[in-house]
Amino acid sequence: MTDNQTREIFVTGLRNAHAMENQALSIMKPQIKRIENYPEIAAKLEQHIAETDGQIQRLEDILAGLDEDHSSLKDMALSLTGAMAAMGHSVAGDEILKNSFANYAFENFEIAAYKSLLTVAEAGGYSAATTGLQASLAEERAMAEWLDANIVAVTTKFLSLREAGETAKI
């Protein structure tokens, strides 16, 4: 593979990751607005939104270092699909559970994307990018681990609220 091919793959991956992180924001922000009974989830989402903003900035910095820019079209398209997914869950009686499952799946998708980007960065000699990519990977892993560790508690609370006659609204 030529250096140009590796660079093209890397830049495309960075642009895709930038759009992916914008999609993540469009998923998490509507969830926070709807949370009533799960303050621990709201707090964690707020924290991860701040991390995601940092991840977007790191990706923009890496792209700028390569004299490239993010793809506004990809950003917009994935943000729209994220907002649609969040809206789709809002009509479900078990919205908090569906959101928890979707968030866990999305975090693992992001983990895979960052692992792949790190592999391409290493193959292409883009060592200046690895620190930022590793930081983003660590944040995504931490969020996925938190979601995994809390799914039983969220489900139990949901059941308890339902049993008490509460709406169990997120």
Side-chain angles (χ1 to χ4, degrees):
M1 184 171 290
T2 68
D3 289 343
N4 283 344
Q5 289 172 318
T6 303
R7 185 182 194 286
E8 182 180 325
I9 292 167
F10 189 52
V11 168
T12 298
L14 291 167
R15 287 178 176 149
N16 289 342
H18 190 275
M20 170 187 73
E21 294 301 354
N22 277 289
Q23 182 180 21
L25 290 176
S26 72
I27 292 169
M28 291 184 290
K29 287 180 177 180
Q31 289 178 14
I32 287 177
K33 291 178 185 172
R34 296 183 48 77
I35 290 177
E36 292 180 359
N37 295 315
Y38 303 86
E40 66 285 355
I41 294 175
K44 190 64 177 178
L45 287 173
E46 289 282 1
Q47 174 193 337
H48 198 55
I49 285 171
E51 290 171 346
T52 302
D53 287 334
Q55 293 164 5
I56 289 170
Q57 186 58 58
R58 285 193 286 270
L59 290 163
E60 289 174 359
D61 292 346
I62 294 167
L63 283 163
L66 297 168
D67 292 324
E68 298 286 348
D69 201 0
H70 60 90
S71 170
S72 296
L73 182 61
K74 281 183 184 181
D75 290 351
M76 187 174 60
L78 287 182
S79 290
L80 179 62
T81 62
M84 299 285 286
M87 194 168 71
H89 290 173
S90 69
V91 298
D94 60 348
E95 180 181 2
I96 192 66
L97 299 180
K98 285 187 173 42
N99 285 344
S100 295
F101 307 157
N103 291 346
Y104 182 71
F106 199 81
E107 292 304 321
N108 281 282
F109 179 86
E110 291 175 303
I111 289 166
Y114 282 113
K115 288 170 77 172
S116 179
L117 275 171
L118 281 161
T119 301
V120 177
E122 184 178 311
Y126 300 107
S127 58
T130 59
T131 301
L133 295 173
Q134 288 171 340
S136 295
L137 175 60
E139 291 166 350
E140 301 301 359
R141 282 183 170 152
M143 185 63 174
E145 289 168 9
W146 186 90
L147 289 162
D148 183 52
N150 284 279
I151 193 65
V152 171
V154 170
T155 303
T156 302
K157 185 171 185 175
F158 172 79
L159 292 172
S160 180
L161 288 168
R162 269 295 176 87
E163 186 176 314
E166 298 285 330
T167 63
K169 182 178 179 192
I170 69 166

